Amino acid sequence: MPSILIADRDQNERIGIGWLVSSYAIPYDKVHSAGTMEDVFEMMEAHSPEVLCIELDMIGRGQWDRLKLLVDQYRPTVVVTTSEATFERAMQGIGLFARDLWLKPQTPEYIRRILTRCCQERLDRKRMNEEKGTGSDNDRDVSYLDLFFPGHVQAKSYSLMLAQLEDPKRHPELLRFFEEYPFRDKPDLLPLGDAIVGVFPADAAVSPSTFNQMGKRLLMDWEASNDAPLFLVMYDASNHEQSLNETYAEASQALQVRFFKGYRQVTVMDNRVNWTMIDPFLTPAEQRTWVEMLDEGNREELKKWLYTHFFFKEEPYPEPGLLRIRLTSILAQVRRYMISRGLDALPLEEEYHRVFETILYSPILYRIVVELLLFINQLLDAAHHPIDESRVDVVEQAIRYIEGRYTDPALRLEEVARYIDRSPSYFSTLLAQKQGSSFRQILTSLRVKEARRLLLETSLSVQEVAERCGFINANYFSKIFKEKTGTTPRLLRNQKKR
């Protein structure tokens, strides 16, 4: 049976992990413990543990080389823990060939699952080596080192899956979904800060059509019970003999296609993305055109210009970074207009900075263009039709609009913001300040309240109730209903019948 070394400065952490191993009967033969790096070195040399669970924060600067030497010599499966969610810590984990990285505090269930998997992988590897008639343990699983360092593994035909949620904080949910998903050929899963990488076995028989179908099925199954928008890249490199690092570098470029397509999409690629190069700066003639359109307050021409120059429906797409520069070049002309009209004061000044940040960081091009256009309309209103905004409660107008349309599953923050003629980010800030809730919280509250009424007062099925209240499917409705009320729709209805 494998042995494990638990290394952490916190004695409670060491005891807690050891307790999980014994309580859940994870089949480790020996459980060793170390509270200092000197203890770690001594234990590794004396006992050669197959699994090393080590806190990165306990490793001093002068101790890294010795630890790496021991890891390379004894080749344990390494799991690293840290309380710092930084790029530096992630790279340190990669340098140790880490199988997983735990950000403290981590749930007992997740720790149990990872340690069980590490144990099982060591047992499986030992059995395979015995069947091959060798005790060698030199064959590694795919690791972060293979992903980021050139030539670390020999060239093969790798196929990858890259998955990215709009909200990266929910990636642990997506990882659990993939871990439990019935893949025909199970990929090695490597979670990153902004995506989850799945590396399929090099000998997996995956054709482009199969990859496309797999991606669509994954997306459909995910959305059946989750509301977090997902973007998938299925990268078929079956015709390329290259390192995993080279394959990943090409596949990660394809993630940027999301900038044009948006989320809830699957992109199947078999080669690197060929971006079109453009001049990111406005020409003098284009600058004059923008000055004239702004001075004349020509909203239709402004909208037409932006739509013509920034809505791309077919490949090859322009390089996203160049488009962001071009949008900031346009914003510079808008800034000149603000200053010339004396509009560079609060709250428009704050809104200008929000739009600038949107251009730099928003993951979707369409959203950037819409936000820019809404901001321009705000400026034109302030310049040509000044009003006392203190007399208008735009939040109340927005709430009434939401109350009238919350049953529409396609209702979005952008639509409501457009109705009150505010940008989405500015409207979101107003809601938080005046209501103490986000748009999603208000919308969900209205939907759940109506669903509760329908469940108690009608005989509609759960599916019909979900549809009437704006939920995309019954499974997701039941999940949200239980989170908000503490009970399921069916249990609530059964209580009514008693």
Side-chain angles (χ1 to χ4, degrees):
M1 293 291 182
S3 61
I4 182 172
L5 171 57
I6 303 167
D8 198 292
R9 293 171 298 175
D10 188 340
Q11 183 180 7
N12 292 329
E13 289 279 352
R14 301 196 303 271
I15 293 173
I17 296 175
W19 178 86
L20 282 174
V21 171
S22 60
S23 296
Y24 287 93
I26 306 175
Y28 286 101
D29 182 45
K30 297 284 186 181
V31 178
H32 304 287
S33 177
T36 68
M37 285 307 299
E38 288 303 318
D39 291 339
V40 171
F41 298 146
E42 182 180 341
M43 292 285 184
M44 290 188 69
E45 291 175 339
H47 303 288
S48 304
E50 282 85 359
V51 177
L52 170 63
C53 179
I54 186 168
E55 178 194 29
L56 289 173
D57 311 79
M58 73 185 295
I59 308 170
R61 289 188 177 181
Q63 298 168 323
W64 277 98
D65 289 342
R66 185 177 176 187
L67 178 61
K68 289 179 180 178
L69 183 64
L70 290 173
V71 168
D72 189 62
Q73 179 180 351
Y74 297 109
R75 296 187 178 275
T77 298
V78 180
V79 176
V80 295
T81 68
T82 181
S83 57
E84 298 179 16
T86 63
F87 178 76
E88 179 184 3
R89 289 297 187 221
M91 291 303 295
Q92 288 172 343
I94 291 171
L96 294 174
F97 307 96
R99 175 66 174 79
D100 201 12
L101 185 149
W102 299 343
L103 184 62
K104 296 182 180 180
Q106 191 54 262
T107 64
E109 174 58 28
Y110 185 82
I111 294 174
R112 182 197 65 78
R113 185 166 63 247
I114 295 301
L115 292 183
T116 301
R117 187 174 302 135
C118 290
C119 181
Q120 190 59 52
E121 287 172 354
R122 299 296 297 203
L123 291 172
D124 291 344
R125 193 179 307 170
K126 183 177 181 181
R127 184 172 59 253
M128 289 176 61
N129 288 332
E130 289 174 350
E131 291 173 355
K132 293 177 182 178
T134 174
S136 172
D137 193 27
N138 290 329
D139 292 334
R140 289 190 178 276
D141 294 332
V142 171
S143 71
Y144 290 98
L145 201 62
D146 306 325
L147 212 60
F148 291 109
F149 288 86
H152 183 64
V153 293
Q154 66 182 40
K156 294 181 181 179
S157 298
Y158 291 98
S159 293
L160 304 184
M161 169 189 72
L162 277 70
Q164 191 172 61
L165 293 178
E166 185 169 10
D167 181 4
K169 293 180 180 177
R170 299 186 62 177
H171 277 167
E173 298 176 42
L174 183 61
L175 179 61
R176 287 192 291 272
F177 171 79
F178 286 144
E179 287 173 341
E180 298 168 0
Y181 196 82
F183 289 98
R184 177 181 175 182
D185 295 293
K186 196 76 172 177
D188 287 310
L189 299 172
L190 300 173
L192 305 176
D194 62 342
I196 294 175
V197 180
V199 184
F200 290 92
D203 58 351
V206 183
S207 65
S209 61
T210 303
F211 241 29
N212 190 24
Q213 293 171 3
M214 182 194 302
K216 290 180 178 178
R217 170 61 65 179
L218 276 169
L219 185 63
M220 184 175 67
D221 290 344
W222 167 257
E223 292 189 338
S225 57
N226 295 274
D227 65 326
L230 172 64
F231 182 74
L232 275 176
V233 171
M234 309 300 290
Y235 194 82
D236 172 32
S238 58
N239 296 323
H240 306 292
E241 286 280 332
Q242 57 189 18
S243 71
L244 180 56
N245 169 255
E246 293 171 315
T247 302
Y248 170 69
E250 293 179 358
S252 59
Q253 283 285 308
L255 275 176
Q256 296 189 58
V257 175
R258 175 212 60 230
F259 188 63
F260 302 94
K261 291 187 174 182
Y263 289 94
R264 305 184 190 279
Q265 301 287 333
V266 178
T267 292
V268 179
M269 308 288 293
D270 60 3
N271 215 325
R272 69 170 58 249
V273 179
N274 292 316
W275 303 112
T276 299
M277 295 296 107
I278 63 169
D279 184 352
F281 300 103
L282 295 180
T283 65
E286 288 173 326
Q287 291 180 18
R288 288 193 296 272
T289 298
W290 266 90
V291 170
E292 292 171 1
M293 290 189 297
L294 289 168
D295 285 340
E296 295 170 3
N298 197 330
R299 300 171 192 252
E300 284 303 314
E301 284 300 316
L302 286 163
K303 180 178 179 179
K304 181 180 178 181
W305 197 98
L306 286 171
Y307 280 21
T308 300
H309 287 78
F310 289 99
F311 284 175
F312 303 93
K313 297 182 178 179
E314 297 179 357
E315 300 181 23
Y317 299 117
E319 201 280 322
L322 296 178
L323 283 182
R324 292 187 192 274
I325 295 174
R326 188 163 177 78
L327 283 160
T328 58
S329 183
I330 291 172
L331 192 61
Q333 301 305 312
V334 175
R335 181 67 171 170
R336 292 175 60 189
Y337 175 79
M338 289 177 65
I339 295 173
S340 67
R341 298 301 177 103
L343 300 175
D344 54 335
L346 299 177
L348 289 174
E349 180 69 11
E350 289 183 344
E351 186 63 13
Y352 164 80
H353 288 288
R354 289 195 190 95
V355 173
F356 181 65
E357 289 186 3
T358 298
I359 291 173
L360 293 181
Y361 303 115
S362 177
I364 307 298
L365 177 60
Y366 172 79
R367 296 178 187 173
I368 297 175
V369 173
V370 170
E371 184 119 353
L372 176 60
L373 193 55
L374 287 170
F375 175 57
I376 291 172
N377 285 333
Q378 274 187 271
L379 294 177
L380 296 179
D381 285 341
H384 296 94
H385 305 286
I387 60 173
D388 183 5
E389 291 196 2
S390 64
R391 300 177 184 175
V392 180
D393 191 342
V394 293
V395 172
E396 184 60 30
Q397 289 181 351
I399 295 296
R400 289 201 299 268
Y401 186 86
I402 296 170
E403 289 173 342
R405 291 167 175 78
Y406 68 87
T407 58
D408 180 4
L411 183 64
R412 296 289 183 270
L413 172 74
E414 290 79 3
E415 178 183 336
V416 183
R418 196 178 304 118
Y419 171 75
I420 62 171
D421 201 20
R422 298 293 188 276
S423 76
S425 62
Y426 183 64
F427 170 50
S428 181
T429 301
L430 284 179
L431 272 184
Q433 291 175 347
K434 295 191 176 184
Q435 297 292 315
S437 301
S438 68
F439 166 77
R440 179 59 56 185
Q441 289 171 330
I442 293 171
L443 181 61
T444 300
S445 177
L446 288 169
R447 287 173 172 172
V448 170
K449 182 179 178 181
E450 176 63 7
R452 191 176 190 281
R453 185 189 71 79
L454 291 175
L455 289 166
L456 294 174
E457 299 178 7
T458 73
S459 59
L460 295 172
S461 68
V462 173
Q463 177 69 42
E464 291 172 324
V465 170
E467 292 174 353
R468 289 199 181 192
C469 294
F471 291 94
I472 55 176
N473 61 63
N475 288 336
Y476 178 61
F477 162 59
S478 297
K479 176 183 175 182
I480 295 300
F481 190 91
K482 185 175 182 181
E483 287 179 0
K484 300 301 180 184
T485 67
T487 187
T488 66
R490 297 189 188 281
L491 285 176
L492 180 69
R493 175 159 283 171
N494 291 337
Q495 292 171 3
K496 166 200 167 185
K497 295 178 180 177
R498 292 174 183 174

